[in-house]
């Protein structure tokens, strides 16, 4: 079937788009958009891929569901729209970056930053949710409809065909989804989820952002500007 997604991903994932599960998923998602509010906007469903072509990926950050609140989800895991207040989990991500990299970055690192995160995606950070759509105000409403199979294929393609990527897994769900990544080919780093419920259980102090950059530099890649 015809899917509007960045060309390199379209080539890598064409086998998924031809499968019956994806056709059923597409029918379900189309009906959901027709019958009520669904997030993100249709044009942003594959935004993470559109901003970060397959061969440009350096870092993968795994999320679970898009935000289900009005005006929040923008197609990038953990991110929100440009003018949207920063949600608690992303606030905690910013706090950890400030603690981890603030002394290096100096300047205005503790000032208010946009929660859009396209600035990361354009540098090679694939902000990938396991489920790419959600019904408004109904967390988990599009789980187990086929998205997880599709995003497993995304992770598998990256893990198998690329080398020296950084996979950042926060929380048990992300750890399970990334369990089969070859640790001898890639850096896989894990911590509790940045949610206020678990951030103090080991997310704060994980130093994932400096660890990711150190690994990238070691393997000849430009580090990510996490500001």
């Amino acid at each position: 079937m015809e899917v509007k997604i960045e060309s390199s991903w379209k080539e890598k994932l064409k086998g998924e788009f031809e499968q019956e599960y994806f056709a059923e998923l597409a029918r379900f998602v189309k009906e959901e958009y027709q019958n009520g509010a669904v997030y993100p906007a249709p044009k942003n469903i594959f935004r993470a891929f559109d901003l970060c072509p397959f061969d440009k990926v350096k870092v993968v950050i795994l999320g679970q569901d898009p935000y289900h609140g009005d005006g929040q989800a923008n197609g990038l895991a953990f991110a929100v729209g440009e003018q949207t207040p920063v949600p608690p989990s992303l606030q905690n991500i910013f706090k950890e970056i400030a603690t981890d990299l603030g002394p290096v970055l100096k300047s205005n690192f503790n000032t208010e930053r946009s929660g859009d995160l396209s600035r990361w995606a354009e540098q090679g950070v694939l902000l990938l949710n396991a489920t790419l759509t959600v019904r408004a105000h109904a967390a988990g409403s599009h789980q187990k409809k086929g998205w997880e199979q599709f995003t497993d294929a995304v992770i598998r393609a990256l893990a198998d065909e690329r080398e020296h990527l950084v996979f950042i897994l926060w929380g048990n769900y992300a750890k399970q989804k990334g369990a089969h990544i070859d640790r001898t080919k890639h850096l896989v780093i894990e911590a509790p989820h940045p949610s206020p419920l678990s951030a103090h259980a080991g997310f704060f102090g994980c130093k994932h952002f400096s660890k990711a950059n150190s690994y990238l530099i070691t393997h000849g890649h430009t580090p990510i500007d996490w500001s």
Side-chain angles (χ1 to χ4, degrees):
M1 65 182 300
E2 185 66 24
V3 178
K4 292 183 179 179
I5 190 171
E6 190 275 333
S7 59
S8 65
W9 285 109
K10 192 168 190 175
E11 176 64 24
K12 292 294 179 185
L13 300 171
K14 62 183 179 182
E16 302 302 309
F17 299 139
E18 294 167 356
Q19 293 190 43
E20 181 57 29
Y21 89 86
F22 196 89
E24 292 178 6
L25 169 64
R27 284 193 290 269
F28 167 77
V29 170
K30 184 177 180 179
E31 284 184 10
E32 286 283 282
Y33 276 102
Q34 290 172 340
N35 294 332
V38 174
Y39 301 124
K43 66 179 182 179
N44 288 332
I45 293 174
F46 296 110
R47 186 167 180 243
F49 303 92
D50 294 337
L51 293 179
C52 191
F54 182 84
D55 290 328
K56 301 293 185 184
V57 176
K58 299 178 184 177
V59 178
V60 181
I61 298 180
L62 283 181
Q64 189 165 356
D65 260 13
Y67 295 115
H68 56 82
D70 297 335
Q72 290 187 298
N74 69 356
L76 305 178
F78 293 101
V80 290
E82 185 70 36
Q83 304 302 322
T84 305
V86 176
S89 290
L90 186 53
Q91 288 181 24
N92 287 337
I93 291 170
F94 286 163
K95 288 177 184 176
E96 175 58 23
I97 292 171
T99 302
D100 186 12
L101 296 175
V104 177
L105 295 170
K106 298 173 182 173
S107 68
N108 299 317
F109 204 71
N110 286 306
T111 59
E112 191 69 27
R113 290 180 301 289
S114 165
D116 176 73
L117 304 187
S118 58
R119 60 192 182 276
W120 295 358
E122 290 165 352
Q123 296 178 73
V125 182
L126 183 66
L127 294 157
L128 179 66
N129 277 319
T131 304
L132 300 188
T133 54
V134 67
R135 196 180 307 138
H137 314 299
S141 51
H142 286 191
Q143 291 178 5
K144 299 180 181 177
K145 301 295 184 181
W147 278 132
E148 293 91 342
Q149 184 173 343
F150 174 74
T151 51
D152 281 347
V154 171
I155 295 167
R156 187 167 58 249
L158 287 167
D160 291 351
E161 298 183 38
R162 297 286 310 280
E163 290 186 342
H164 308 313
L165 301 182
V166 181
F167 290 87
I168 297 179
L169 313 179
W170 294 327
N172 289 331
Y173 183 89
K175 291 175 187 177
Q176 291 168 9
K177 197 168 179 69
H180 301 295
I181 299 167
D182 186 347
R183 268 69 169 168
T184 66
K185 280 177 65 178
H186 306 285
L187 175 65
V188 181
I189 45 182
E190 303 176 347
H193 196 276
S195 159
L197 298 174
S198 54
H200 289 280
F203 173 76
F204 288 134
C206 69
K207 299 187 181 298
H208 280 182
F209 305 96
S210 60
K211 289 176 181 177
N213 279 354
S214 294
Y215 183 84
L216 292 173
I217 291 168
T218 297
H219 293 282
H221 298 299
T222 305
I224 305 300
D225 177 0
W226 295 106
S227 58

